Amino acid sequence: LLSFNTKMNIVDTGICDLLEFAITHDHDALVIATDGDHFSAGANIERFLNLAEAKNWDGLSSFVKRGQDVIKGVRLAPIPIISALNGYVMGGACELALHSTALIAHSETNIGLVEPRVGVVPAWGGCVEAMRRMGAPEALKTILTQWTSGSALDAKIKGFMGDTDPIVMNRDLLLSRAKMIALRTALPEKRLFTQATTQDIRVMNDWLKNADLTSHDRLIGQTLINILSAPDEDAMWDAECDGFVTLMKTQASQDRMKAILKR
């Protein structure tokens, strides 16, 4: 069992170190879960903001890529990794969950890729998995409108959870059920990448052109289209990082983070 104990279970460098250790340790399987009210509120945006305010762009890029490497480690782990979700599963935590081998969720789970709320795009493989699960046009709409599930059933309908991922009504049973699933889950076959088609790209551009958005949300949307239009998965990961750092260089993105942090 790997459990976070940071404030709101936010993901920072210490959590990245812990994940790497857990993945490479000698286990039959791994469950990621928490006893708290929320699985995780996401990545530590204060660290992102501090690096941006210091104009430490290399440091910011390195932190993003560090998170990417850890998430890729979860995705390609030699053991099954089960994320047991409850409460908020936002941003970077959602990305961690989506790259796990399988999910189990309490019925009242609220999951979403809400990065545009703080002025950026998912950069730890969120775009990669959103596109794989729902297609490029729907991924653009879902991320840019900051959609979050009202329940685990919502998450399943939207594609954040798979058809076979269980939903648990009794929160007290979540961890024991997750352990059972972890011990009987086989490693999945390699997840295939399907490039966005010319029609997909046209649909995304048309939707963005006609959407009622602020100028900065439109910039975030165009960044998302650039990511979702990447020719292969490696290029998509790179585009996520580049897009994130480019947006963090804007005052509008920094202001959104300051507003969330009340700075």
Side-chain angles (χ1 to χ4, degrees), residues 229-251:
S229 303
D232 56 57
E233 187 174 312
D234 287 341
M236 200 170 194
W237 285 92
D238 289 342
E240 282 190 354
C241 181
D242 293 343
F244 186 100
V245 173
T246 298
L247 287 167
M248 281 304 305
K249 291 180 179 181
T250 68
Q251 191 61 48

Side-chain angles (χ1 to χ4, degrees), residues 2-263:
L2 187 152
S3 184
F4 303 163
N5 292 293
T6 52
K7 182 179 180 181
M8 289 293 287
N9 293 335
I10 59 172
V11 180
D12 208 333
T13 51
I15 300 298
C16 290
D17 293 341
L18 190 61
L19 277 164
E20 281 188 332
F21 174 80
I23 293 167
T24 56
H25 219 55
D26 186 19
H27 303 304
D28 292 326
L30 180 69
V31 172
I32 304 175
T34 178
D35 284 335
D37 293 333
H38 303 289
F39 180 81
S40 173
N44 184 357
I45 63 172
E46 187 160 18
R47 179 177 292 275
F48 292 131
L49 182 58
N50 288 340
L51 289 166
E53 289 181 326
K55 299 189 185 308
N56 184 357
W57 308 122
D58 288 341
L60 180 60
S61 180
S62 294
F63 185 43
V64 173
K65 289 179 179 177
R66 171 89 168 107
Q68 286 190 345
D69 288 342
V70 172
I71 298 294
K72 289 177 183 178
V74 170
R75 184 186 183 96
L76 302 173
I79 57 173
I81 298 179
I82 311 302
S83 287
L85 310 179
N86 69 290
Y88 294 154
V89 188
M90 300 297 171
C94 177
E95 292 173 294
L96 169 62
L98 293 179
H99 286 278
S100 301
T101 310
L103 304 175
I104 180 171
H106 180 234
S107 57
E108 296 180 8
T109 296
N110 306 120
I111 187 170
L113 294 166
V114 295
E115 282 83 353
R117 189 174 301 171
V118 293
V120 291
V121 292
W124 288 352
C127 298
V128 173
E129 270 299 296
M131 178 172 166
R132 187 181 73 83
R133 290 165 180 259
M134 60 189 72
E138 190 63 25
L140 170 67
K141 297 175 190 176
T142 300
I143 297 170
L144 194 54
T145 59
Q146 304 158 41
W147 180 91
T148 57
S149 68
S151 66
L153 182 59
D154 273 355
K156 184 166 285 199
I157 293 170
K158 191 70 168 178
F160 280 95
M161 294 180 65
D163 292 338
T164 59
D165 291 331
I167 296 174
V168 176
M169 301 298 291
N170 186 339
R171 172 73 174 83
D172 293 336
L173 298 178
L174 182 63
L175 187 55
S176 61
R177 289 284 302 279
K179 180 181 177 181
M180 290 171 57
I181 293 167
L183 291 174
R184 68 182 186 216
T185 296
L187 289 174
E189 295 181 2
K190 183 178 179 181
R191 307 184 199 197
L192 299 178
F193 176 84
T194 302
Q195 183 180 0
T197 65
T198 302
Q199 176 66 13
D200 288 336
I201 296 170
R202 183 182 301 114
V203 169
M204 289 191 290
N205 281 313
D206 288 346
W207 181 84
L208 184 63
K209 179 180 178 180
N210 295 311
D212 184 15
L213 300 167
T214 67
S215 59
H216 195 59
D217 281 322
R218 200 168 294 282
L219 176 61
I220 295 171
Q222 189 57 61
T223 303
L224 282 168
I225 291 175
N226 293 341
I227 295 167
L228 295 166
S229 303
D232 56 57
E233 187 174 312
D234 287 341
M236 200 170 194
W237 285 92
D238 289 342
E240 282 190 354
C241 181
D242 293 343
F244 186 100
V245 173
T246 298
L247 287 167
M248 281 304 305
K249 291 180 179 181
T250 68
Q251 191 61 48
S253 289
Q254 293 180 33
D255 287 344
R256 287 194 186 184
M257 288 195 175
K258 289 177 184 177
I260 294 291
L261 295 169
K262 296 180 170 57
R263 277 176 44 174

